[in-house]
Amino acid sequence: MSTFDTIPKTQQEALVETLLRLADDRLILGHRISEWAGHGPELEEDLALANIALDMIGHASALYTYAAELEGKADEDYYAYFRDDIDFKNIALCELPRGDFAFTIARIFLFSTFSYFLYQKLIDIVEDEQFNGMLQKHFKEIKYHLRHSREWVLRLGDGTEESHQKIQEAFDEIWMYSGEMFDLDEADQVAIQNNLFVDTSDFREEWEKLVVDTLEEATLNVPDMEQYMFSGSRQGRHTEHLGRLLAEMQFLRRSYPDADWK
Amino acid sequence: MTENSTENTEWPLWEVFYQPKDGKPFEHAGSVHAADAEMALQNARDTYARRSEGIAFWVVPSDQIVASTPEDVGPFFDPANDKPYRHPQFYSVPRAVKKRK
């Protein structure tokens, strides 16, 4: 189903749409984090970021595989390599350029905090066994992403003058892209009715509390929660950055569609 | 080369020990750099525990480990071959124990 089609009508369409939304966020952010490979500030952090990127791409891969099975597509690669930016349902937070280390940490922290609460609630309500199994498996890794990025927020914020300034700037810059995590459209409403998604406002306070507590502990100013928020990515209105990312990510597969590792 | 090129800007070194299974002794896995204990644990996890190698970690600042020196090899590790009374072969083994072998 492409983005400008009508909203899901059946339980299965709603499930596919939910799987793709979750997967697209994770594929695109995983790709961005993978851009750190070989450029991490220390060898150990290089490994940590590569692991987080692999986890996210792995989550996306599992979700796509299930969607492909339901939709009768050949395989997971169809979704990753043969869709245009307008068909991608990820939020803009995930597609913004790599940024510096502070920006990377701020982004992983906000996204993992959101994923943490979302998966926690989803595990309780999703009846589809295969989907629920994935959520439980991935939840363990999300907890680690949250722990890792939270510890870094504390250290950068309460670290040197320079690290404090950089992580503060990162949060100030990324904040307007955090609202999209909580936006719900008609497709989400259908998913919610089918016990495939949760009303994100149910955990928004918990999310805010964890974020605010962490920023305060890190001696950082919490950005204005009421400021203008970017929106529309889930409906295909992306920033200019996604097209470039896809051009790089997809070109090999599109140029040589039958290429394989041999 | 800048003037500071000889200055050590690396994080301190930590030794990593992992426990393969419940009840088993911890084994040395290797070392990691980290600015503090929590990050040392995380780096240990990322470096040595991605393939279910163990269930628990110890991290210890490397400079806190007291090690014997190569010169200690004599007094510390000299085998007891010249002290036969330390070996148990002079005791006769009961027949029941022998059978079980």
Side-chain angles (χ1 to χ4, degrees), chain B residues 3 11-12 20 23 28 40 49 51-53 55 58 62 73 76 80-82 85-86 90 92-93 99-100:
Chain B
E3 267 181 44
W11 291 328
H28 187 230
R51 291 168 195 85
S52 322
E53 287 90 339
I55 56 154
W58 286 344
S62 301
V73 82
F76 265 62
N81 290 344
D82 58 337
Y85 50 86
R86 287 191 180 171
F90 302 107
S92 53
V93 181
K99 266 188 188 168
R100 225 177 283 154

Side-chain angles (χ1 to χ4, degrees), chain A residues 40-66:
Chain A
E42 289 271 344
L43 176 65
E44 284 80 357
E45 192 51 32
D46 207 69
L47 279 174
L49 288 173
N51 284 336
I52 293 173
L54 274 176
D55 287 345
M56 288 190 182
I57 294 168
H59 298 175
S61 164
L63 295 161
Y64 285 141
T65 301
Y66 190 27

Side-chain angles (χ1 to χ4, degrees), chain A residues 41-42 44-45 47-52 54-55 141 144 147-149 151-152 155, chain B residues 9-11 13 31-39 41-43 45-47 50:
Chain A
E42 289 271 344
E44 284 80 357
E45 192 51 32
L47 279 174
L49 288 173
N51 284 336
I52 293 173
L54 274 176
D55 287 345
E141 293 177 344
Y144 177 72
R147 174 172 167 176
H148 184 85
S149 54
E151 293 294 339
W152 264 117
R155 279 160 185 74
Chain B
T9 56
E10 282 193 329
W11 291 328
L13 198 63
S31 48
V32 292
H33 290 99
D36 56 51
E38 166 65 23
M39 296 312 274
L41 270 179
Q42 295 198 7
N43 290 344
R45 178 261 186 198
D46 278 309
T47 314
R50 288 284 294 179

